[in-house]
Amino acid sequence: MSENMTTPILLSARQVKKYYPVVSRGKKALVKAVDDVSLDIFRGETFGVVGESGCGKSTLGKVLLRLEDLTAGTVFYAGQNLIDLDKPGLKGFRKKAQIIYQDPYSALNPKKKIGSAIEEPLIIHRMGTPKERRQKVLGLLDKVGLRPEHLDRYPHEFSGGQRQRIITARALALDPEFILADEPVSALDVSIQAQVINLLMDLKKEGNLTFLFISHDLSVVEHICDRLAVMYLGRIVETGPVDAFYAAPFHPYSRALIAAVPVADPSIGLYDTVLEGDVPSPITPPSGCHFHPRCVFRQDRCRTEAPGLRQLCPDRQVACHFPQIPV
């Protein structure tokens, strides 16, 4: 986004870590799900986080919203340190920041009608009278393309796309300014994906929302996001504006991700970078650059020295000793 030089930062993370203690081969160990991540999200933008399954995307989102506690690091929201918030302060923060989950069915109580499910945040935060809350719920249903008669139905009576709209309506109930969308369309058919994506984009325009959009689908991210970060094994390896990233990805992992995106005509593929092997274990990550065992451009330095995230040009950062910069 060209206006980022003047647009205020809404959420800022610095050196965020989230480790989980486990027992591996009879010994105590740590799963480094998020390992020293720093990023800024500007007010009003849609910021994407992409990467393979298991790279730490969803964990990062939960940590940034204090749905899980950090192992180390700091997170600021509108200048307020979220780590210092007590229970009442955290409840107030919940009104500003909401989440749309990946699996809408598991996110809804199967014994509760959807009208009650959408109204629940309003009750928890003691907002409005019963009549006012009902009108609010009806308005939210209309906003996400559902009808008033849906109010008294149960989750199992809806399709996957409709359930996704229901949890989107619930996320909007408190009029938040920030929404974490965690793989919100990955379980939906392609035609339904388009409907939900268009809905999110419309809601962003209407409500001046800021989105953190987590996905493994780069074609969706290209369509909906302004900037993105690429994660690999708990670390960010590249950041930048979406247009510039897709035109010329710098990190070998980014190139491989784009090369894997299906296209109608394979002959027009921009990159022939192919990932070697499987994602290493986050319990025992490779030395040096975590990506080096799968990288076709690796050199000796990559095996021993971990590259830091560095600025290569305005708005572009990459963690690579030998970035693939077009000449």
Side-chain angles (χ1 to χ4, degrees):
M1 297 176 68
S2 60
E3 67 268 29
N4 279 349
M5 296 300 292
T6 57
T7 303
I9 294 173
L10 182 61
L11 187 145
S12 179
R14 290 292 177 268
Q15 298 178 302
V16 168
K17 298 180 181 180
K18 180 60 181 179
Y19 298 167
Y20 296 97
V22 296
V23 176
S24 176
R25 299 178 181 178
K27 297 181 180 179
K28 293 182 179 180
L30 292 173
V31 175
K32 297 181 178 181
V34 178
D35 192 16
D36 200 19
V37 167
S38 298
L39 58 83
D40 293 322
I41 299 176
F42 294 90
R43 187 178 291 275
E45 76 171 336
T46 299
F47 187 90
V49 178
V50 302
E52 294 170 287
S53 296
C55 71
K57 305 185 299 295
S58 294
T59 302
L60 174 63
K62 292 175 183 177
V63 166
L64 293 180
L65 292 194
R66 277 290 306 272
L67 296 174
E68 293 197 27
D69 291 330
L70 283 73
T71 300
T74 57
V75 180
F76 287 86
Y77 183 88
Q80 184 178 39
N81 191 342
L82 298 185
I83 312 304
D84 294 338
L85 292 181
D86 55 13
K87 192 172 181 178
L90 198 56
K91 184 178 179 180
F93 169 66
R94 294 281 176 254
K95 292 180 66 176
K96 302 176 183 177
Q98 289 286 303
I99 182 170
I100 299 174
Y101 291 96
Q102 177 179 2
D103 182 357
Y105 192 74
S106 64
L108 293 168
N109 186 338
K111 298 181 179 180
K112 183 175 290 189
K113 296 177 180 179
I114 68 147
S116 298
I118 298 173
E119 184 186 12
E120 187 174 20
L122 299 171
I123 295 174
I124 291 173
H125 289 272
R126 299 178 180 178
M127 297 176 64
T129 64
K131 183 178 179 180
E132 290 170 339
R133 291 197 297 267
R134 181 178 176 84
Q135 289 303 312
K136 176 79 170 182
V137 171
L138 288 171
L140 289 167
L141 286 177
D142 180 67
K143 182 174 287 190
V144 300
L146 296 174
R147 299 188 299 272
E149 56 265 33
H150 290 145
L151 197 68
D152 295 318
R153 296 182 185 177
Y154 292 93
H156 73 271
E157 300 180 78
F158 296 91
S159 68
Q162 287 175 318
R163 286 196 289 266
Q164 197 70 52
R165 290 171 181 270
I166 292 167
I167 64 170
T168 300
R170 186 176 63 182
L172 294 170
L174 298 174
D175 298 316
E177 55 187 14
F178 183 90
I179 291 181
L180 164 61
D182 186 4
E183 299 274 14
V185 297
S186 63
L188 304 177
D189 293 337
V190 174
S191 60
I192 306 301
Q193 283 187 12
Q195 294 177 21
V196 173
I197 289 170
N198 289 334
L199 169 64
L200 294 177
M201 294 179 72
D202 289 342
L203 292 173
K204 176 188 172 184
K205 294 176 183 177
E206 293 173 10
N208 194 29
L209 295 168
T210 302
F211 278 94
L212 172 57
F213 192 89
I214 294 173
S215 180
H216 65 271
D217 190 333
L218 270 74
S219 59
V220 172
V221 169
E222 182 181 15
H223 181 64
I224 198 172
C225 294
D226 301 299
R227 293 189 304 128
L228 60 71
V230 180
M231 283 191 73
Y232 184 78
L233 217 60
R235 295 179 177 176
I236 289 179
V237 298
E238 184 167 357
T239 68
V242 164
D243 292 344
F245 171 81
Y246 281 86
F250 291 163
H251 198 281
Y253 179 60
S254 302
R255 291 167 61 97
L257 289 179
I258 293 179
V261 175
V263 293
D265 183 1
S267 65
I268 64 173
L270 295 176
Y271 309 106
D272 57 2
T273 307
V274 178
L275 289 175
E276 300 178 351
D278 298 320
V279 179
S281 169
I283 300 176
T284 55
S287 60
C289 174
H290 286 353
F291 185 63
H292 87 258
R294 307 174 71 193
C295 182
V296 297
F297 303 105
R298 62 182 176 266
Q299 299 186 30
D300 289 343
R301 180 184 180 187
C302 306
R303 297 181 174 89
T304 58
E305 183 181 340
L309 198 63
R310 58 194 174 100
Q311 196 90 21
L312 288 189
C313 58
D315 298 327
R316 301 289 302 274
Q317 292 181 309
V318 65
C320 181
H321 295 307
F322 306 101
Q324 303 304 300
I325 303 176
V327 294

